[in-house]
Amino acid sequence: MSLILPPLSLYIHIPWCIRKCPYCDFNSHQANDDIPEQDYVNALRFDLQQDAELAQGRKLASIFFGGGTPSIFSANAIAQIIKDAENIIGFEPDIEITLEANPGTFEQEKFSGFRAAGVNRLSIGIQSFNDVQLKLLGRVHGREEALRAVDVARKAGFDNINLDLMHGLPEQSVEDAKADLAQAIALAPEHISWYQLTIEQNTAFYSDPPILPFEDTLADIQDEGQSMLAQAGYEQYEISAYAKNKQRARHNINYWEFGDYLGIGAGAHGKITQPEKSLITRLWKTRLPKHYLDSVTSNKISTNLAGHQNVFGAGSDILSPSSLPLDFLMNVLRLNDGAPVKYLAERTGLDLGSLDPQWNELTQRGLVEVFEGKLRTTALGRRFLNRVLEAYAGG
């Protein structure tokens, strides 16, 4: 079956933050007093203009400002970027526009400006409400600033808020983790992202690792936390995502359902389907902010493996038929409900038989299933998702 164009999203990377956290492995850089805000906005516009042909007539279903700390930018800058995206690509009528924000950057006027600019979903990086844990994580905010951030967001008009919360933190007990969740639930956000701290390479924690809770403690935190969230009306729909009243993160769901997305900004990644070429391409932009900004005037055009040109391009990779099963499953199997079987053919060109013999073996072990027309893991499979995916890691 030939490929069918899936929905299209846009990821926008703002690479600066107030201070680099010791657990962060994202492309983020500590800001000084003279962030080149307008130059970066202009570069993002140029970047998107060059990638516009990859939209192939589609409008944007969602936009996500990630970082770094996107809320470090002014409301006027965010408004310019949103307007450029609308003019260059265009929006679906019900577009979701999410902005990541950290409590240390909250000002009432600025966040009212974000809302007026078109941002309709806010993702607040709380991580913990415990001052001791926040200090160990290197966060620039404390408990009171975290609580105030949610209040400011509500007063600014946001009625779709995600709280980003971690567990398994240094020196954290089960009761500490439950207290964090209880506080988050009490603030009544529409969405909670609750995930375990992991130590990644190229971070300060990797070089000087903190003492983390034992495995038994981590398991107790997971079990008791999930029970608390369920009792409070938060439905788990993905490994670390919980929503009230079905207010799920549509941008992230597009990733997990193997949709397409453009990525603009320093180090941003994209995934694009080109049915007429029978190609699915991943592409990424130059990583360092200075190099990204210098690319505007360098006139060094980069051509990716699919033939697309962009002066900001740093690399690309065409997904091969042998790598597609893992690439597809490592996304869709994150979702509790999985994804429609038809997406396998429409978005990869593969059929269900191409997942065998691994899928058949995993089914017999009670780890995966086809349920109501969807590929998904069982409850047991979700607990051991890494083992499920390892079956396809050989490519």
Side-chain angles (χ1 to χ4, degrees), residues 88-257:
I88 295 169
I89 307 293
F91 292 171
E92 294 288 354
D94 61 344
I95 186 170
E96 174 192 87
I97 303 179
T98 302
L99 180 88
E100 285 187 335
N102 286 339
T105 64
F106 268 75
E107 302 163 15
Q108 186 69 61
E109 184 176 354
K110 176 189 274 193
F111 279 80
S112 295
F114 290 151
R115 186 67 190 91
V119 176
N120 53 25
R121 184 174 183 271
L122 208 58
S123 183
I124 306 176
I126 302 291
Q127 313 310 355
S128 175
F129 292 97
N130 184 307
D131 282 327
V132 172
Q133 255 105 49
L134 286 169
K135 185 175 182 180
L136 290 171
L137 290 174
R139 303 295 286 175
V140 298
H141 71 273
R143 172 185 173 83
E144 292 306 314
E145 286 176 297
L147 296 174
R148 178 178 172 272
V150 179
D151 183 58
V152 168
R154 291 298 191 202
K155 289 178 178 176
F158 285 97
D159 58 5
N160 192 358
I161 294 174
N162 169 63
L163 298 187
D164 217 42
L165 208 63
M166 295 196 298
H167 60 86
L169 306 180
E171 301 181 17
Q172 188 178 52
S173 67
V174 175
E175 292 307 313
D176 289 336
K178 289 171 64 178
D180 269 349
L181 260 186
Q183 179 61 83
I185 290 168
L187 293 170
E190 286 68 32
H191 192 284
I192 295 176
S193 296
W194 187 62
Y195 54 95
Q196 184 178 320
L197 170 66
T198 56
I199 306 301
E200 305 287 354
Q201 293 189 29
N202 302 315
T203 66
F205 271 178
Y206 187 80
S207 302
D208 185 18
I211 298 174
L212 300 180
F214 293 116
E215 288 295 326
D216 287 349
T217 301
L218 293 173
D220 288 343
I221 289 173
Q222 186 75 31
D223 290 343
E224 296 196 33
Q226 287 184 330
S227 177
M228 288 176 65
L229 286 160
Q231 289 175 16
Y234 288 91
E235 176 197 16
Q236 183 185 19
Y237 66 96
E238 187 267 347
I239 289 174
S240 59
Y242 303 79
K244 244 185 179 179
N245 302 319
K246 301 292 184 182
Q247 288 187 264
R248 301 176 174 186
R250 287 189 281 135
H251 184 88
N252 290 341
I253 286 176
N254 191 43
Y255 289 158
W256 298 323
E257 291 186 340

Side-chain angles (χ1 to χ4, degrees), residues 198-336:
T198 56
I199 306 301
E200 305 287 354
Q201 293 189 29
N202 302 315
T203 66
F205 271 178
Y206 187 80
S207 302
D208 185 18
I211 298 174
L212 300 180
F214 293 116
E215 288 295 326
D216 287 349
T217 301
L218 293 173
D220 288 343
I221 289 173
Q222 186 75 31
D223 290 343
E224 296 196 33
Q226 287 184 330
S227 177
M228 288 176 65
L229 286 160
Q231 289 175 16
Y234 288 91
E235 176 197 16
Q236 183 185 19
Y237 66 96
E238 187 267 347
I239 289 174
S240 59
Y242 303 79
K244 244 185 179 179
N245 302 319
K246 301 292 184 182
Q247 288 187 264
R248 301 176 174 186
R250 287 189 281 135
H251 184 88
N252 290 341
I253 286 176
N254 191 43
Y255 289 158
W256 298 323
E257 291 186 340
F258 216 60
D260 277 0
Y261 51 96
L262 300 170
I264 61 171
H269 285 235
K271 170 193 165 285
I272 295 297
T273 302
Q274 294 172 282
E276 77 288 352
K277 297 182 180 180
S278 297
L279 292 179
I280 302 171
T281 308
R282 294 197 182 278
L283 52 158
W284 52 94
K285 306 297 171 62
T286 188
R287 182 177 176 85
L288 292 178
K290 182 182 185 302
H291 295 167
Y292 182 82
L293 290 168
D294 287 346
S295 296
V296 175
T297 56
S298 70
N299 293 318
K300 294 181 180 178
I301 295 175
S302 173
T303 303
N304 72 27
L305 295 174
H308 175 67
Q309 295 183 331
N310 186 311
V311 300
F312 302 97
S316 62
D317 183 31
I318 294 175
L319 299 184
S320 66
S322 63
S323 68
L324 274 170
L326 176 60
D327 213 299
F328 180 78
L329 291 174
M330 71 188 300
N331 283 283
V332 303
L333 294 185
R334 292 182 64 91
L335 293 163
N336 286 29

Side-chain angles (χ1 to χ4, degrees), residues 4-23:
I4 294 176
L5 281 175
L8 180 69
S9 296
L10 172 64
Y11 175 77
I12 301 167
H13 193 73
I14 309 294
W16 293 280
C17 54
I18 295 174
R19 184 169 67 203
K20 181 84 170 179
C21 296
Y23 58 84

